[in-house]
Amino acid sequence: MELGLNGRTVLVTGASGGMGREIATAFGAEGAAVVIGYRSRPEDAAHTAGLVEAAGGRALTAPYGLGEPDTARSLVDAALHWTGRVDVLVNNAFRAFGFRPPGDRFEEVGDDWQGKLRDNIEGAVELTRLVAPLMRERGWGRIVHLSSSLVTEGVLETDAGRIGAEYYAAAKAALHGFSRSTAFSLGRDGDILSNVVVPGLTRTFRNEERMANSFGVAERYAARAPLGRLLDAAEVARVVLFLASAANTAITGQSITASGGA
């Protein structure tokens, strides 16, 4: 299937991490110019260098942090300076909460829950606001937001979960409403589609150790899936790739679950 991504410019946030890395690599393999947004940390240099190579060498790295509006503008400006356009936005970056043991109470969480709640929704909204005029001008664009199955499944007390996951789920649920509404307003001005991909618990190169210390969450989640296993990040990336492609002409304003049926 021809995806029509060759020569398109794609912004992927959180692209030095597990899910984002696979997403950016998938776009690069289709001939897209990939702008890799990443939070500046010492270990990111090696990851982003490898990612540029994996994306066929046609990739640009730029610092980006949720809750840092200046970096959102800089990320878009970097893309415009490089290729003069932004065709696709993938909002993948997120601020995570750590695992918690069973029995902890969400109202006792003090791990900057207000800041993380705001950043996990406001960061995606800010970037969407910045790229929307560019997509309207060209009459074409694709926006894909990465969410979480916590929105629909909830945080199960028997499965432990993450510290503050209730607040993370609230932010992601808001993202669903935002994407649904912007699909209507953007769709009036061209072939501009907005969707949400909802991964379940997914294997990435960065979270293997965390899942091993997650009080059996990964095993119980896999047991609930018809496939009997967790998906890996590359499998979720292929869902994102299609929704963000020219081959997708019919799906917009939707939340697509990619969890292996769990």
Side-chain angles (χ1 to χ4, degrees), residues 99-109 157 163 166:
F99 282 109
R100 69 176 183 201
D104 278 15
R105 297 177 172 88
F106 74 87
E107 67 269 26
E108 297 171 352
V109 171
E157 187 66 21
I163 299 170
E166 293 83 358

Side-chain angles (χ1 to χ4, degrees), residues 11 19 35-37 53 68 75 83-84 115 119 124 144 173 187 208 230 243:
L11 301 188
M19 186 80 73
V35 181
I36 302 164
E53 182 178 355
E68 301 171 18
L75 184 64
T83 67
D119 290 349
V144 181
E208 290 292 336
L230 302 183
L243 291 174

Side-chain angles (χ1 to χ4, degrees), residues 124-199:
V125 170
E126 176 66 20
L127 264 180
T128 304
R129 283 168 49 85
L130 291 173
V131 303
L134 306 174
M135 293 179 177
R136 292 184 198 274
E137 183 179 353
R138 300 185 71 88
W140 197 96
R142 299 289 186 268
I143 299 170
V144 181
H145 307 285
L146 272 292
S147 181
S148 167
S149 61
L150 290 174
V151 171
T152 53
E153 292 184 16
V155 183
L156 303 181
E157 187 66 21
T158 56
D159 281 351
R162 292 182 177 275
I163 299 170
E166 293 83 358
Y167 309 112
Y168 178 76
K172 291 300 187 181
L175 190 60
H176 289 223
F178 175 71
S179 178
R180 175 70 176 168
S181 293
T182 55
F184 284 97
S185 58
L186 291 169
R188 289 194 290 266
D189 292 325
D191 183 9
I192 308 173
L193 311 181
S194 175
N195 290 290
V196 176
V197 171
V198 188

Side-chain angles (χ1 to χ4, degrees), residues 16-29:
S16 66
M19 186 80 73
R21 183 184 180 92
E22 292 293 343
I23 291 170
T25 300
F27 279 108

